[in-house]
Amino acid sequence: MKTSNPTANDFSKSQYLPQEENEAERVKPSKSSISRRSFLGKSLAVGAGTIGAGLLANAPTARASGGLTPGDAALLRFAAVAEILETDFWVQYNELGGVQDSEVPGGSGNPDYTEALEVLDEDMPIYIHDNTDDEFTHQNFLNAYLASKGAATVNLRPFRTLPGSSATGSSGKLRLTNLTQLTLDTSWWTRYRGTGHNPDLDPDFTFPQAVPTLAVGQHTAIPRTDADLSDPNFVQAMANTAAFHFPTIEQGGNSLYPSMAQRATDPEVLRILISIGPTETMHFQTWSEQAGNAPPLTAVDPVTGVSVTFPDLEDVGENLQKSLIMPEPCPFLSRNLPKCSIIRPTETRGVAMGTLRFLTDMGLFIGQSPAFFTLMNQLARAADAARRGS
């Protein structure tokens, strides 16, 4: 477990310490007292200035005062916002099922939920803790780097409005993300095991789901209240859902960073993107292996009545086999070239908006305000508009 302390130049963890989740209509932004106009007029960005519509759209080609092109700044801002959101939900997992210490403070642990996670691997609390710590360092570094270059940074504190778990172990703080109404696309499982297709070359190919029922309905990955802990089978289902949520998220970052790196202008910005990206790959492979250990079961949510079934992935053929955690070779760039073991997808067009849709469709933002979605779309559009030299 990592024990290093942040340096004096780091943004403090408490400055960005995340909060939790809520319930509302899926994907559709909920109404909020924070209007777009009032939000954009109150200097959301910390550092060089306010992130408003003028800054995020149609960015000029002149370099920013610190030497960053508007395009490079937009790429790093989108990476920063993704890391802030990621840190938010990892903190929720750590409070309930990770190692509780001063390095990742906030919760006190939930014994029943932690025990269910340890069914998959006894080191799950350590892995959760260290993944959480990694995301803190990513968000803090990216914002600090932007600030050092005189560029606007990202602060999502106005949107920490979602109530999260009230179960034993949770800090009870308000959150940015919702872990109680997840709809998970687990097709990444077969995408990385299949050898015949690459989403970059076959955008219309449908990869089978590893856990089809997770892609239907809304599932909680954490106990909402202590009442959710009364049925051990359901507690294990929540832990299994979390176990598949972990790699589902990390494979997104696994693709996001190399995709954005192709648009970077400054070699140092390129270096940042290709240095953080591989840590997401390390997270993805770790969690991919752990997800394969999820015990087969069927459970019904006592609150929503939604059913989930986790299949036995032991002897189910090559495309579902749980032990195949190395990326299988697949077509890359052209079918006229030999197959290659790669990260996929890495298509750069529309990657930021695609990431935003991916997170929204997952249900992470259920309960968020229209102003939140406005900002997310502005940041994504600006990142997608980045071009080398602009």
Side-chain angles (χ1 to χ4, degrees):
M1 188 190 313
K2 294 184 285 293
T3 56
S4 60
N5 293 320
T7 67
N9 293 326
D10 285 334
F11 285 18
S12 69
K13 289 181 181 177
S14 61
Q15 183 175 1
Y16 295 102
L17 192 62
Q19 331 280 311
E20 277 165 53
E21 58 225 43
N22 189 28
E23 304 166 353
E25 292 183 60
R26 177 166 170 67
V27 175
K28 180 180 178 182
S30 66
K31 292 185 177 181
S32 168
S33 60
I34 306 177
S35 69
R36 179 182 179 217
R37 176 175 303 213
S38 65
F39 171 72
L40 293 177
K42 289 186 178 178
S43 186
L44 174 68
V46 177
T50 300
I51 293 183
L55 175 61
L56 295 176
N58 302 316
T61 58
R63 286 180 178 269
S65 59
L68 289 180
T69 66
D72 280 355
L75 291 171
L76 294 179
R77 264 194 296 274
F78 188 77
V81 80
E83 296 291 353
I84 290 170
L85 293 168
E86 200 173 2
T87 303
D88 181 84
F89 64 71
W90 274 113
V91 165
Q92 296 179 62
Y93 283 126
N94 193 74
E95 288 182 1
L96 293 165
V99 174
Q100 312 302 318
D101 62 12
S102 59
E103 189 175 48
V104 184
S108 57
N110 186 289
D112 292 336
Y113 183 66
T114 302
E115 183 177 354
L117 288 167
E118 289 175 330
V119 168
L120 284 76
D121 189 303
E122 64 180 8
D123 289 327
M124 286 287 274
I126 295 175
Y127 294 157
I128 291 170
H129 171 281
D130 284 0
N131 204 139
T132 307
D133 187 48
D134 286 352
E135 307 309 343
F136 267 122
T137 69
H138 292 168
Q139 67 164 31
N140 294 346
F141 176 86
L142 288 165
N143 257 340
Y145 182 83
L146 284 163
S148 76
K149 297 296 184 180
T153 61
V154 182
N155 173 8
L156 299 184
R157 278 176 290 185
F159 299 116
R160 299 193 186 283
T161 60
L162 304 183
S165 172
S166 63
T168 299
S170 171
S171 67
K173 295 177 181 177
L174 295 175
R175 316 288 180 173
L176 290 168
T177 58
N178 186 337
L179 297 181
T180 67
Q181 293 175 274
L182 298 178
T183 303
L184 300 184
D185 179 354
T186 58
S187 63
W188 54 266
W189 183 277
T190 54
R191 183 189 345 130
Y192 272 94
R193 287 161 174 77
T195 61
H197 299 278
N198 178 341
D200 287 335
L201 296 177
D202 309 299
D204 297 325
F205 181 79
T206 300
F207 292 90
Q209 301 280 337
V211 186
T213 52
L214 281 179
V216 180
Q218 298 173 355
H219 308 271
T220 185
I222 56 174
R224 293 158 296 206
T225 68
D226 282 340
D228 282 338
L229 302 168
S230 60
D231 177 4
N233 189 58
F234 183 61
V235 176
Q236 191 62 59
M238 288 188 289
N240 286 9
T241 299
F244 274 93
H245 185 223
F246 299 165
T248 299
I249 283 291
E250 298 298 333
Q251 62 84 30
N254 184 49
S255 288
L256 176 64
Y257 278 94
S259 297
M260 291 200 302
Q262 297 172 65
R263 293 178 177 264
T265 295
D266 191 295
E268 192 166 71
V269 173
L270 175 63
R271 181 180 180 184
I272 290 170
L273 295 173
I274 64 174
S275 296
I276 293 178
T279 68
E280 302 288 335
T281 303
M282 295 172 72
H283 296 161
F284 169 49
Q285 188 170 46
T286 298
W287 295 123
S288 178
E289 180 178 25
Q290 300 311 315
N293 296 329
L297 62 83
T298 296
V300 177
D301 189 317
V303 175
T304 66
V306 173
S307 177
V308 63
T309 297
F310 293 91
D312 187 345
L313 297 171
E314 184 62 49
D315 297 308
V316 286
E318 190 169 280
N319 283 352
L320 286 169
Q321 178 65 41
K322 69 179 186 180
S323 61
L324 298 178
I325 62 169
M326 307 292 180
E328 292 296 311
C330 71
F332 181 45
L333 298 182
S334 169
R335 292 190 181 278
N336 295 324
L337 296 169
K339 292 181 179 179
C340 186
S341 177
I342 55 163
I343 299 303
R344 64 258 204 184
T346 54
E347 169 59 59
T348 186
R349 287 174 296 179
V351 62
M353 285 300 297
T355 298
L356 180 58
R357 285 193 297 271
F358 161 71
L359 296 174
T360 302
D361 290 346
M362 186 182 297
L364 274 179
F365 305 142
I366 292 176
Q368 271 294 356
S369 67
F372 173 86
F373 288 95
T374 295
L375 178 68
M376 293 301 107
N377 276 276
Q378 289 175 345
L379 289 164
R381 284 197 300 269
D384 282 339
R387 299 291 187 275
R388 286 188 180 276
S390 66

